[in-house]
Amino acid sequence: MLSPVDFEVAMTARELVHAVASGPKKARTLTVDEARSMIHLWAQGEMDDLQLGAVLMIMRHRGETAAEVAGAAMGLRDLSVFANVPELAATLDWPCYAGKREQFPWLLFAALRLGKKQQRILLHGDELASPKRNHVAAFVKQVGIPTAIDANGAAKALDSKGVVYMALDSMLPLWPRVRELHRTLGLRSLLTQAVRFFNPANCQYGVRSYFHHGLDQHYLAVLNAMATSCHKQDLVIFRGHQGEAEINPRIENQLLFWRDGVVTSEVLPVCAPEGTQAQLQQLGTDEDVLARFANVARPGAADSSLQAATVNATLAVMLRLLQQDNSVAAALTRANNSKLQANHAISTLCRMLVKQGCHNEDEAFQLLRKKSMHSGISMDKLARQLLQHVAVA
């Protein structure tokens, strides 16, 4: 059971405004506790929209500090619907706030597969944040991920499916007021960053993605600022595909793992099929791949498309975060090997290639995938053709 929030507000609203706006020589940034107090004061009506808006605009102009983001994140967590209800026992906090430009959020299939591995994943986002983006909220039902509007519904969905999506408005009843304030001010604010860190269900593991270079170090500073006041959490930080919490398999990905204040780094190599965009389209358009994924138990398995590579690369990073493997390379091998086990023809051919000189089944699989891409023939069909050729010979 998450204990009820018992936080002592550090300052009055006027003192907070004075701290950040008292002039170039006296103005200062807020501490973690002061930023947390600001959220509580506004929620309780002891700080009005004008006062909060003034503070947020000044922060935005000079740049929000890690301590201010950390404090705001903890203040928002204090006010989430999970603060005073039975704990969800959710494993992984997966915030998805960036959205993608005219592309499907393939991370959803990675979450589905992870949910089948006895994990409990909470996906959350704000589909109203950037109207020109494809947010996960518009696609969760299409792939079979349940949604919830309250804590009890989320618990039931996790029990049955292992993964659930909740909109930010459902988790944080305060958020519509924040959105309206953003519209009035005409800018994003400290709070937009804070929702990526507030870990509403108090999960042990979490994902933090960014787009602009250099934000990884800022994110680490936020986590360090939160560490003294939050439960232990293990997180992975990476530059997401178009900013979303999804791996782009066409580039080398630098992964930062933050485990109780200790940071380690690993590299996920390029793992997409080779070729031009036109060649990759031969392996499946988004519509083709979605149709294939709808008919298999493990979406992405036994599929050589770019979209499947995105699913498997994202899944590998999560497996590594959850310490299911001792390196991201091993996790990626596991994700690829699951393809072998899912298709009899591919598995049989790969074992045959190992006997003929390949070092292992993963190398044989990669060889078959390249041949499939260059020929434009699906891996399954190509494997069956080659096996038939061998049988006739």
Side-chain angles (χ1 to χ4, degrees):
M1 180 87 176
L2 290 175
S3 59
V5 175
D6 184 16
F7 176 71
E8 184 177 348
V9 173
M11 303 174 73
T12 66
R14 291 188 66 178
E15 288 172 334
L16 284 168
V17 175
H18 186 267
V20 301
S22 58
K25 292 184 178 180
K26 292 185 178 180
R28 61 175 178 83
T29 62
L30 299 183
T31 67
V32 172
D33 283 346
E34 288 168 350
R36 189 175 181 182
S37 295
M38 180 179 68
I39 303 301
H40 280 268
L41 288 169
W42 188 58
Q44 295 163 6
E46 297 178 27
M47 185 178 201
D48 61 36
D49 289 358
L50 179 61
Q51 290 172 311
L52 179 63
V55 172
L56 293 179
M57 289 185 72
I58 290 170
M59 288 179 173
R60 188 65 173 168
H61 176 69
R62 61 158 161 79
E64 299 91 349
T65 68
E68 290 167 342
V69 176
M74 288 189 286
L76 293 177
R77 183 193 296 183
D78 295 339
L79 301 170
S80 81
V81 296
F82 301 111
N84 297 310
V85 299
E87 192 169 359
L88 294 180
T91 308
L92 178 62
D93 176 55
W94 199 332
C96 305
Y97 288 90
K100 295 175 70 180
R101 293 186 298 273
E102 301 177 355
Q103 291 188 20
F104 189 90
W106 300 102
L107 68 93
L108 295 177
F109 289 107
L112 270 178
R113 287 175 62 181
L114 202 57
K116 295 176 181 178
K117 295 180 180 291
Q118 288 71 55
Q119 303 297 334
R120 294 166 68 86
I121 301 103
L122 174 63
L123 297 164
H124 53 96
D126 181 14
E127 61 269 33
L128 300 178
S130 303
K132 295 182 180 180
R133 291 271 185 149
N134 285 342
H135 290 276
V136 299
F139 303 95
V140 286
K141 290 184 180 179
Q142 181 178 349
V143 305
I145 292 177
T147 61
I149 59 173
D150 56 33
N152 290 331
K156 291 178 181 178
L158 289 174
D159 289 341
S160 64
K161 199 78 173 183
V163 57
V164 65
Y165 173 81
M166 284 191 75
L168 184 57
D169 287 14
S170 297
M171 293 189 305
L172 194 61
L174 183 73
W175 196 254
R177 288 179 59 195
V178 175
R179 190 183 294 112
E180 187 59 35
L181 184 61
H182 284 171
R183 288 174 181 158
T184 301
L185 298 175
L187 50 75
R188 293 157 64 86
S189 77
L190 164 82
L191 304 179
T192 310
Q193 286 190 60
V195 294
R196 297 171 182 262
F197 289 89
F198 83 129
N199 186 17
N202 202 36
C203 299
Q204 179 183 350
Y205 299 95
V207 182
R208 303 291 180 264
S209 65
Y210 63 93
F211 180 74
H212 297 290
H213 289 288
L215 275 179
D216 52 346
Q217 296 306 310
H218 175 64
Y219 279 20
L220 289 174
V222 173
L223 296 176
N224 284 326
M226 295 179 70
T228 57
S229 303
C230 296
H231 293 289
K232 179 179 179 293
Q233 191 179 27
D234 295 352
L235 300 109
V236 62
I237 301 172
F238 57 85
R239 189 169 188 260
H241 194 183
Q242 299 183 1
E244 190 55 284
E246 171 184 291
I247 293 293
N248 180 357
R250 302 183 76 171
I251 64 172
E252 183 178 85
N253 287 270
Q254 184 78 29
L255 309 171
L256 294 178
F257 292 95
W258 190 91
R259 301 187 189 276
D260 199 22
V262 177
V263 181
T264 57
S265 176
E266 293 187 48
V267 174
L268 178 70
V270 175
C271 50
E274 298 176 350
T276 65
Q277 190 62 40
Q279 288 173 309
L280 293 173
Q281 286 289 91
Q282 294 177 6
L283 300 178
T285 64
D286 283 1
E287 292 75 16
D288 295 334
V289 174
L290 282 168
R292 295 203 296 266
F293 282 7
N295 297 315
V296 295
R298 290 183 294 175
D303 197 304
S304 60
S305 64
L306 173 64
Q307 297 89 333
T310 303
V311 173
N312 289 313
T314 304
L315 176 62
V317 171
M318 302 310 156
L319 290 173
R320 176 64 182 123
L321 170 66
L322 295 166
Q323 303 182 69
Q324 301 293 305
D325 291 283
N326 59 12
S327 71
V328 71
L332 184 58
T333 297
R334 183 210 287 251
N336 287 333
N337 282 344
S338 69
K339 298 178 182 178
L340 305 179
Q341 298 164 2
N343 186 287
H344 177 71
I346 294 174
S347 180
T348 301
L349 181 64
C350 286
R351 287 196 297 269
M352 185 179 297
L353 291 173
V354 170
K355 291 180 181 179
Q356 294 180 358
C358 285
H359 289 92
N360 51 48
E361 290 190 3
D362 187 48
E363 180 181 317
F365 178 84
Q366 298 299 334
L367 182 65
L368 179 61
R369 181 166 67 173
K370 289 182 179 180
K371 181 68 175 177
S372 169
M373 188 277 297
H374 287 302
S375 65
I377 303 173
S378 72
M379 290 181 66
D380 175 55
K381 183 176 181 180
L382 182 61
R384 285 187 280 108
Q385 287 179 355
L386 292 172
L387 288 172
Q388 185 176 16
H389 179 73
V390 171
V392 171

